[in-house]
Amino acid sequence: MKRVLIATGGGDCPGLNAVIRAIVKRATKERDWEVVGSIEAFNGILREPTEIKVLDEKAVAGIHVQGGTIIETTNKGGPFAWPIKNKDGSWSYVDRSDEMIRKLQYLGIDAVINIGGDGSQQISQALYEKGLNIIGVPKTIDNDLSATDFTFGFQTAVQVATEAVDKLVTTATSHNRVLIMEVMGRFTGWIALNAAIAGGAEVCLIPEIPYDINKVVERLKQRYSRGKGHAIIVVAEGAKPINGSISAKKSEEVGYSNLQLGGISAVLAQQIKEAGFEGDIRQTVLGHLQRGGIPIAYDRILATQFGVKAFEMVLAGRFGEMVAYRHPDIISVPLKDAINRPNLVNPDGQLVKTARGIGISFGD
Ligand code: F6P
């Protein structure tokens, strides 16, 4: 029997379980492959006793409709930066990648499928360079990976954000208020831009187009030209004013190396008031609602395509590569190409032009 190990790393995302199920279903057809999952990314391999779980058809039955990941995930630590507590209470980070590769050999793992975003795929590439038979599957609600047209989970996040705009519109109109909605996306504005168009926002602020607060207020004043009015502002967590900085802090969680973004909606509300707008303003931070719950059909299908392709790449020995979607095909690309630049919104691209065409202001 040959063994393939699945790990899910980074922030969770609707569709992860659909990928796991598709890998298992496709592998089952081969009869000589067993699928196992490492619990909480690669932590399950690194922990003593080992935490792995056999994934057979029974274990994955019906999970494509569930959010989250049945094998858990983490965006802290990892094989190259494993946190160790020092005697004085401080933390050091050690490289346990060689030890992990030896353990995988001991466990009889022939191939690894690592489902994760840019951070996880950087780990995949580094493990591949050390000789591990590894394949990447791109995952993120942010859609910020350039090698693929879309990542699964993104459309579900856009749906959640759009439904939130729809709800905010009714209360904004009733109270003649400006309602600011902050969405995720890290250093990209994909969720914000799509939700602003689909929901019908007046202003959309994204990291790729730094905003001028006076331009934002100008648009709001237009909306209130007859004394009353309302407006919806969708702001991406990574948005920033011209010559300003993003709202973020360094996390105090052990092993969390990413910047923790968030807080721009409160900053923006203050800036709008200071720039002379007199109407009422409220903020909503959509947060992890965008990542939870069932994946919409589009993401289930894309995730299933990624899972089947990933296992077929294992069979074909396409290690060091990542599954990608290039319409209309599901292809594979070298991991090193997939992680070398982020997928940013093009300020001159069609979607921004469409948004401008229906009167959405980017504050520029
Ligand atoms: O990358 C996905 C994402 O949800 C980002 O949009 C967000 O900034 C980040 O993860 C939040 O991560 P955490 O799980 O640490 O709150």
Side-chain angles (χ1 to χ4, degrees):
M1 210 60 172
K2 292 181 206 151
R3 284 184 125 186
V4 58
L5 177 120
I6 308 177
T8 50
D12 72 341
C13 168
L16 282 169
N17 283 327
V19 181
I20 295 170
R21 171 177 170 270
I23 294 169
V24 172
K25 280 188 165 285
R26 180 62 187 84
T28 307
K29 287 178 68 172
E30 296 303 312
R31 297 182 187 283
D32 55 345
W33 279 88
E34 180 182 56
V35 184
V36 291
S38 171
I39 302 300
E40 217 186 62
F42 289 118
N43 291 357
I45 303 296
L46 292 162
R47 287 209 180 105
E48 231 22 275
T50 310
E51 290 179 40
I52 59 173
K53 175 176 179 178
V54 173
L55 298 169
D56 54 15
E57 282 204 283
K58 191 160 170 255
V60 301
I63 65 166
H64 57 299
V65 305
Q66 291 171 20
T69 159
I70 61 163
I71 51 174
E72 302 172 31
T73 187
T74 180
N75 48 16
K76 298 192 276 190
F80 292 93
W82 184 264
I84 306 266
K85 196 167 194 173
N86 301 316
K87 282 197 182 116
D88 63 359
S90 62
W91 291 84
S92 301
Y93 296 90
V94 295
D95 181 351
R96 295 184 62 195
S97 56
D98 290 331
E99 180 194 340
M100 189 180 92
I101 290 172
R102 281 196 299 276
K103 187 120 176 239
L104 289 169
Q105 283 163 353
Y106 169 77
L107 293 168
I109 304 296
D110 298 281
V112 174
I113 298 175
N114 191 18
I115 313 170
D118 54 349
S120 302
Q121 300 316 337
Q122 275 163 21
I123 292 175
S124 301
Q125 172 64 20
L127 290 170
Y128 173 67
E129 284 168 15
K130 286 186 165 240
L132 189 69
N133 288 343
I134 190 163
I135 278 163
V137 176
K139 160 254 51 155
T140 164
I141 61 162
D142 304 333
N143 201 39
D144 59 355
L145 283 162
S146 59
T148 182
D149 288 354
F150 286 116
T151 50
F152 64 86
F154 166 65
Q155 296 290 357
T156 302
V158 169
Q159 186 67 27
V160 171
T162 301
E163 285 168 15
V165 172
D166 295 345
K167 290 181 168 73
L168 291 176
V169 167
T170 62
T171 167
T173 50
S174 305
H175 283 267
N176 289 289
R177 280 175 172 159
V178 171
L179 293 185
I180 303 175
M181 186 175 86
E182 177 177 325
V183 297
M184 285 185 168
R186 293 196 67 74
F187 305 109
T188 67
W190 290 110
I191 299 175
L193 176 56
N194 281 268
I197 294 172
E202 281 66 41
V203 179
C204 175
L205 304 179
I206 59 174
E208 294 86 345
I209 307 177
Y211 63 87
D212 174 345
I213 195 65
N214 297 315
K215 292 279 169 56
V216 174
V217 169
E218 209 173 281
R219 180 78 179 96
L220 297 180
K221 284 185 174 165
Q222 274 172 13
R223 296 280 302 172
Y224 282 68
S225 57
R226 274 167 290 160
K228 284 181 172 182
H230 73 273
I232 302 293
I233 302 179
V234 179
V235 60
E237 61 182 1
K240 56 175 188 268
I242 294 168
N243 300 324
S245 50
I246 59 168
S247 299
K249 62 176 178 28
K250 207 181 153 344
S251 170
E252 281 164 14
E253 290 170 5
V254 175
Y256 192 104
S257 56
N258 290 333
L259 259 186
Q260 242 177 343
L261 276 74
I264 181 66
S265 53
V267 170
L268 183 63
Q270 189 60 30
Q271 289 172 341
I272 291 172
K273 279 187 197 146
E274 284 167 7
F277 180 75
E278 289 173 351
D280 294 342
I281 310 170
R282 296 285 190 277
Q283 303 107 248
T284 301
V285 180
L286 212 46
H288 295 81
L289 288 174
Q290 293 157 96
R291 270 179 24 191
I294 61 169
I296 61 169
Y298 180 94
D299 283 331
R300 293 184 205 179
I301 296 163
L302 186 60
T304 302
Q305 287 183 291
F306 280 5
V308 169
K309 178 74 177 181
F311 186 75
E312 288 176 350
M313 285 165 64
V314 168
L315 292 179
R318 305 292 300 253
F319 302 117
E321 298 192 7
M322 187 186 84
V323 184
Y325 169 44
R326 283 288 184 228
H327 183 76
D329 300 313
I330 303 294
I331 60 166
S332 73
V333 294
L335 273 166
K336 64 174 175 349
D337 297 344
I339 55 179
N340 69 6
R341 73 187 162 86
N343 176 30
L344 301 177
V345 172
N346 177 359
D348 302 315
Q350 194 53 55
L351 211 51
V352 171
K353 281 188 184 142
T354 298
R356 291 192 198 279
I358 57 167
I360 294 177
S361 164
F362 288 87
D364 62 338

